[in-house]
C-alpha cells in the first residue's frame, strides 16, 4: 500500500486552531481581534457556554488590523469577548443527484424538515468563470415551451438571458412555464429576496409537482441577512456548475439578480465602501460579471441561465438593468402595457432580443421570424393613426398587411400558463401566419 500521499497530506495539515475575540458590533458588521483568516473564509463565533451554539460568519474585510465579519444568520446571543474560531476555508455545500426535487437554503441545508440524502459531496460555492477559450460556441437551440420565445427569440443551450420587468408583470409565472416545459435535463431555481409567502406559492402554483421533480430550489427570503441572500446566488450557481460538469443540460433561473445587487450593496456599505451610482457600491459592479460569467457552456455540459431583473419604475436604463443587459447574451422585456391588455406572457417582442438566435435556427425560421417582427413594428408605428381612424385602407400595402395580420399575431403571442406549445407546432403556426399575411 502506497502511504506516500497520506504522509504528505499529514505533513501539510495545520494542527493548530486559531481564535480571536469579538471587539465590537456595528450594525450588520462584527469586528474581532483575530483570528488569522483570509477574505471569504468562514469563521465560527462561539456564543456563551450556557447556549453552546456557534454562529457562522464570513470575513468580508479588515479595519485597523481587526477582522470584519458578517454573520450568515441574525445574531442575538453574542457578547463582547466571544470567541471567534477560524475554519481556514470558504463556504462549501453538499451537492449530488440526490438533491433533485429538494428545497434548500443559501447554506445548502434542507428547508422542508427532511435530512439531506446520503451520497452528497462537498463543493465550494465560489468558483472562477471558465477560460473563455475553453467554452464551445452555442450551436443548438433550447426549446423552452413558450411560443413567443421559441419562435421569435430562440434561446441556445448555454445562453444567458435577462428577463426585465417591473413588479407584478409576470416574471415568476414565465419562469414557472420555462421550468415545466423546457427541454433541459434539470432546473436550478434561485429565489433571492422573495417574500416568504411567494416561495411556497411559486413551488405549488407556478412550478407544480411535474416541474419540481426535475428541479432544485434555493430560497433566501427577504427577511434574511444580506450575506445569506448573496450566498443564495452563489450556492445556486455552484449547484448548476456541479451538474454541468457531470454533462447535464442545466437551466439556472434566478429571481432576481437585482436583489442580489441590493444585498451586495448592503455588505459593501457596512464594510465601509463609498456609495456611487444610486447608492450602489463599486463592489456591486465588480461582483455581477464574476457571478454571471460562471454560467454558459463548458466542455462537459451547458448552463442556460435566466436572470430576472426588477426595474424600478419600469425604467430599463437604471444602473443594475443597464449593467446586466451589457453582460448577458440577450434580454426579454416584459411590458406592463401588454399585461394591462391581458396579453400574457407580456413579452414585448420588439424591445427584446436573443443574441444567439441567428446561430441556432435555420434560414427559413429566421426569415419567418423577421417577417412577423416587421409586421408588428409596422402596426406599432401606425397604431395611433389606425386607432383614431385617420388611416385609409389602400394607402400603404405594408400597413394594410400589418392591420390584417395583427389580430392573428396577438393570438399567436398569447399563451395560457398551463398551455402546451411544442416547438414543431409553434414553428408551423409561425409559417402559416406569414403565409396568411401575404394573401
Amino acid at each position: 500500500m502506497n502511504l506516500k500521499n497520506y504522509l504528505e497530506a499529514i505533513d501539510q495539515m495545520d494542527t493548530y486552531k486559531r481564535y480571536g475575540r469579538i471587539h465590537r458590533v456595528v450594525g450588520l458588521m462584527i469586528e474581532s481581534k483575530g483570528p488569522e483568516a483570509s477574505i471569504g473564509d468562514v469563521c465560527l463565533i462561539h456564543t456563551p457556554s450556557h447556549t453552546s451554539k456557534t454562529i457562522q460568519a464570513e470575513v468580508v474585510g479588515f479595519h485597523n488590523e481587526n477582522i470584519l465579519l458578517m454573520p450568515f444568520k441574525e445574531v442575538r446571543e453574542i457578547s463582547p469577548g466571544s470567541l471567534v474560531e477560524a475554519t481556514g476555508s470558504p463556504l462549501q455545500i453538499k451537492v449530488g443527484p440526490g438533491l433533485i426535487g429538494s428545497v434548500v437554503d443559501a447554506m445548502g441545508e434542507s428547508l422542508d424538515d427532511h435530512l439531506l440524502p446520503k451520497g452528497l459531496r462537498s463543493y465550494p460555492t465560489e468558483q472562477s468563470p471558465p477560460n473563455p477559450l475553453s467554452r464551445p460556441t452555442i450551436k443548438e437551440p433550447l426549446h423552452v415551451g413558450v411560443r413567443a420565445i421559441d419562435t421569435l427569440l430562440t434561446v441556445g443551450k448555454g445562453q444567458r438571458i435577462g428577463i426585465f420587468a417591473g413588479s407584478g408583470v409576470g416574471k415568476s409565472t414565465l419562469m414557472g412555464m420555462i421550468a415545466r416545459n423546457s427541454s433541459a435535463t434539470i432546473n436550478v431555481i434561485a429565489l433571492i429576496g422573495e417574500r416568504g409567502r411567494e416561495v411556497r406559492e411559486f413551488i405549488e402554483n407556478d412550478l407544480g409537482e411535474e416541474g419540481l421533480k426535475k428541479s432544485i430550489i434555493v430560497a433566501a427570503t427577504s427577511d434574511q441577512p444580506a450575506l445569506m441572500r448573496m450566498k443564495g446566488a452563489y450556492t445556486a450557481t455552484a449547484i448548476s456548475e456541479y451538474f454541468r460538469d457531470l454533462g447535464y443540460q442545466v437551466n439556472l433561473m434566478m429571481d432576481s439578480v437585482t436583489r442580489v445587487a441590493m444585498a451586495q450593496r448592503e455588505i459593501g456599505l457596512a464594510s465601509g465602501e463609498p456609495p456611487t451610482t444610486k447608492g450602489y457600491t463599486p463592489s456591486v459592479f465588480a461582483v455581477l460579471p464574476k457571478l454571471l460569467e460562471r454560467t454558459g457552456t463548458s466542455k462537459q455540459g451547458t448552463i442556460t441561465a435566466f436572470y430576472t431583473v426588477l426595474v424600478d419604475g419600469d425604467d430599463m436604463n437604471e444602473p443594475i438593468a443597464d449593467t446586466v443587459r451589457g453582460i448577458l447574451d440577450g434580454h426579454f422585456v416584459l411590458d406592463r402595457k401588454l399585461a394591462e391588455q391581458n396579453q400574457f406572457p407580456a413579452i414585448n417582442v420588439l424591445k427584446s432580443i436573443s443574441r444567439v438566435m441567428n446561430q441556432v435556427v435555420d434560414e427559413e425560421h429566421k426569415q419567418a421570424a423577421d417577417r412577423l417582427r416587421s409586421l408588428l413594428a409596422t402596426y406599432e408605428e401606425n397604431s395611433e393613426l389606425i386607432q383614431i381612424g385617420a388611416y385609409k385602407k389602400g394607402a400603404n400595402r405594408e400597413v394594410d398587411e400589418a392591420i390584417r395580420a395583427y389580430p392573428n399575431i396577438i393570438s399567436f403571442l398569447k399563451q395560457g400558463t398551463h398551455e402546451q406549445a411544442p416547438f414543431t407546432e409553434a414553428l408551423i403556426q409561425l409559417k402559416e401566419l406569414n403565409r396568411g399575411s401575404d394573401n
Side-chain angles (χ1 to χ4, degrees):
M1 184 177 177
N2 185 8
L3 296 176
K4 184 179 178 183
N5 293 337
Y6 293 98
L7 292 171
E8 286 179 359
I10 290 170
D11 287 340
Q12 292 170 6
M13 188 173 70
D14 187 356
T15 55
Y16 289 94
K17 282 191 175 182
R18 290 173 168 77
Y19 292 93
R21 288 192 180 275
I22 287 180
H23 173 57
R24 65 172 186 163
V25 177
V26 180
L28 304 173
M29 202 63 63
I30 297 169
E31 193 172 324
S32 79
K33 293 186 178 294
E36 184 183 327
S38 304
I39 293 283
D41 281 0
V42 173
C43 290
L44 303 176
I45 301 171
H46 294 266
T47 57
S49 56
H50 64 275
T51 58
S52 65
K53 289 167 67 177
T54 58
I55 296 165
Q56 287 184 304
E58 184 176 296
V59 179
V60 296
F62 305 101
H63 178 67
N64 292 338
E65 298 184 4
N66 291 343
I67 286 178
L68 300 180
L69 298 161
M70 185 164 277
F72 287 115
K73 295 188 178 176
E74 193 174 348
V75 177
R76 287 180 181 168
E77 298 94 344
I78 66 168
S79 58
S82 292
L83 279 179
V84 180
E85 179 187 343
T87 64
S89 62
L91 178 67
Q92 298 206 344
I93 55 166
K94 297 289 186 181
V95 64
L99 209 57
I100 298 172
S102 302
V103 183
V104 299
D105 64 12
M107 310 282 286
E109 299 293 334
S110 177
L111 274 178
D112 53 9
D113 297 327
H114 292 100
L115 293 174
L116 290 175
K118 293 181 179 179
L120 304 181
R121 55 161 288 196
S122 294
Y123 198 78
T125 58
E126 297 204 30
Q127 306 269 358
S128 297
N131 185 319
L133 295 182
S134 71
R135 289 181 184 266
T137 54
I138 299 169
K139 293 179 180 177
E140 293 181 58
L142 177 79
H143 304 143
V144 300
V146 179
R147 197 161 42 233
I149 295 173
D150 282 342
T151 55
L152 303 175
L153 301 160
T154 313
V155 175
K157 290 179 181 176
Q159 186 175 358
R160 298 160 307 143
I161 290 285
I163 301 173
F164 292 73
S167 55
V169 188
K171 296 186 302 297
S172 298
T173 304
L174 179 59
M175 279 177 54
M177 291 173 71
I178 293 171
R180 286 194 310 273
N181 302 325
S182 166
S183 58
T185 320
I186 181 174
N187 300 310
V188 179
I189 303 169
L191 302 175
I192 310 297
E194 292 286 319
R195 305 174 189 92
R197 170 184 64 81
E198 289 179 328
V199 174
R200 187 159 184 175
E201 282 186 5
F202 176 81
I203 294 169
E204 293 181 358
N205 301 338
D206 296 325
L207 189 60
E209 190 178 341
E210 181 187 345
L212 185 59
K213 284 179 184 175
K214 64 169 189 174
S215 301
I216 299 169
I217 297 174
V218 180
T221 50
S222 58
D223 60 296
Q224 295 183 348
L227 192 60
M228 281 288 274
R229 283 176 270 142
M230 194 70 209
K231 286 299 172 187
Y234 282 100
T235 296
T237 306
I239 292 170
S240 303
E241 289 170 321
Y242 171 82
F243 283 102
R244 176 179 64 185
D245 292 344
L246 293 180
Y248 285 73
Q249 309 293 331
V250 185
N251 267 2
L252 169 64
M253 285 172 271
M254 191 177 291
D255 185 13
S256 73
V257 75
T258 307
R259 294 194 178 107
V260 174
M262 289 176 175
Q264 181 59 37
R265 176 173 63 183
E266 284 184 48
I267 295 168
L269 290 172
S271 59
E273 280 190 79
T276 52
T277 314
K278 270 202 171 179
Y280 288 102
T281 57
S283 64
V284 174
F285 302 101
V287 161
L288 283 176
K290 288 179 183 175
L291 176 65
L292 304 183
E293 283 290 344
R294 286 169 61 180
T295 56
T297 58
S298 78
K299 291 177 181 177
Q300 291 81 21
T302 62
I303 301 173
T304 308
F306 297 88
Y307 299 99
T308 67
V309 181
L310 185 64
V311 289
D312 291 334
D314 295 331
D315 176 15
M316 297 296 166
N317 296 314
E318 59 98 22
I320 298 303
D322 204 39
T323 302
V324 171
R325 190 166 51 236
I327 297 168
L328 300 179
D329 309 319
H331 52 271
F332 303 156
V333 176
L334 302 190
D335 196 324
R336 191 175 299 278
K337 184 181 174 185
L338 296 180
E340 289 167 354
Q341 294 169 1
N342 201 34
Q343 180 182 325
F344 291 102
I347 301 171
N348 188 321
V349 173
L350 300 177
K351 290 183 180 178
S352 305
I353 190 170
S354 169
R355 291 192 177 118
V356 305
M357 180 175 174
N358 292 348
Q359 299 167 215
V360 299
V361 300
D362 58 38
E363 189 60 31
E364 188 182 5
H365 180 170
K366 181 178 176 298
Q367 287 179 1
D370 288 346
R371 174 67 177 151
L372 191 140
R373 275 175 169 270
S374 177
L375 289 168
L376 200 54
T378 301
Y379 187 91
E380 290 295 329
E381 284 172 14
N382 297 277
S383 60
E384 290 185 8
L385 292 175
I386 295 166
Q387 287 166 8
I388 64 173
Y391 175 76
K392 292 184 179 179
K393 188 177 178 181
N396 185 301
R397 184 170 172 270
E398 277 288 322
V399 178
D400 289 344
E401 287 178 8
I403 293 170
R404 189 164 57 245
Y406 188 73
N408 292 330
I409 292 173
I410 297 304
S411 178
F412 173 77
L413 295 176
K414 282 185 180 181
Q415 184 175 336
T417 306
H418 294 279
E419 180 187 343
Q420 299 288 328
F423 176 72
T424 48
E425 288 182 19
L427 193 54
I428 290 168
Q429 285 179 282
L430 174 66
K431 291 173 182 176
E432 286 179 350
L433 202 58
N434 280 324
R435 279 196 293 270
S437 69
D438 292 334
N439 294 334

